[in-house]
Amino acid sequence: MTNTDLTALTGDYTIDASHSTIGFTVRHAMVTNVKGKFNEFSGSLHLDGGDPSASTASIDVKMDSIDTGSADRDGHLKSADFFKIEEFPTMTFRSTKAEALGDEDYRITGDLTILGTTKSLTIDLEFNGAAKDPFGNERVGFEGKAEIKRSEWGLTWNAALETGGVLISDKIKLSFDISAIKNA
């Protein structure tokens, strides 16, 4: 959406999880990509249209909701080999910096906590627009992406392949499609 009056968008928003996706892609067996997502998460945004650097984001993801399309794989990801969901049931992101890059592009940096380890994460975002939905809600949409090395958060389980290489890449591509509703 172009020529948006961003000052009109200033306010607090709640992420609409039923119309949003937090996903990931990981290289598997050195030859293909496996995609997954988290089905349960909540979050809020504070948008400041007059000063985008004053905008904030907060997201909590329930790790038990991981979904790769394979119950066996999801069970392994929930286990002590990976996310240890009994001990660490939630992954969190808390923004520390927001930047307007020009046009519809933004960058948000924050603290991503996985397995009790907190590291900085920068997410490049594209503003997809704002609209009033049929129910009278003011909505905004953002699409974003980032990459992390899972080992930096202590996610180090792997298996060697006979042909060389490893079963799971260290690099994880994150993707975000966020729809948020302005609080009344």
Side-chain angles (χ1 to χ4, degrees):
M1 177 176 230
T2 57
N3 299 323
T4 303
D5 179 9
L6 294 178
T7 56
L9 301 179
T10 297
D12 295 317
Y13 292 77
T14 300
I15 293 175
D16 177 4
S18 66
H19 293 97
S20 299
T21 304
I22 296 176
F24 58 89
T25 304
V26 61
R27 174 104 32 217
H28 182 262
M30 308 289 291
V31 297
T32 190
N33 289 317
V34 170
K35 295 177 187 274
K37 63 182 180 173
F38 295 96
N39 291 322
E40 294 180 47
F41 53 90
S42 59
S44 60
L45 309 174
H46 171 75
L47 302 182
D48 189 323
D51 179 9
S53 69
S55 297
T56 61
S58 175
I59 300 173
D60 296 317
V61 177
K62 291 185 180 178
M63 299 308 289
D64 190 40
S65 74
I66 196 165
D67 181 358
T68 64
S70 165
D72 288 343
R73 181 173 43 230
D74 294 347
H76 190 203
L77 289 169
K78 294 174 188 182
S79 78
D81 284 343
F82 288 96
F83 291 117
K84 305 174 186 171
I85 66 162
E86 297 297 322
E87 186 178 353
F88 301 102
T90 307
M91 172 175 59
T92 62
F93 177 80
R94 302 291 182 264
S95 67
T96 56
K97 180 179 180 183
E99 305 168 79
L101 303 178
D103 294 326
E104 304 295 326
D105 297 326
Y106 297 86
R107 180 171 290 143
I108 192 156
T109 301
D111 294 329
L112 176 65
T113 302
I114 305 172
L115 294 175
T117 298
T118 302
K119 301 272 184 188
S120 183
L121 173 68
T122 298
I123 304 168
D124 289 324
L125 295 168
E126 181 178 350
F127 176 61
N128 286 342
K132 186 174 281 206
D133 70 19
F135 308 102
N137 298 309
E138 295 288 339
R139 286 185 178 269
V140 293
F142 293 91
E143 189 174 346
K145 60 185 177 182
E147 288 185 2
I148 64 170
K149 288 188 175 182
R150 64 188 180 91
S151 60
E152 293 180 357
W153 280 268
L155 293 163
T156 57
W157 185 93
N158 223 328
L161 300 176
E162 284 183 26
T163 55
V166 291
L167 186 64
I168 305 167
S169 67
D170 192 29
K171 181 172 76 173
I172 308 292
K173 296 177 183 177
L174 304 175
S175 60
F176 310 89
D177 283 301
I178 302 296
S179 178
I181 299 171
K182 194 171 193 177
N183 298 346

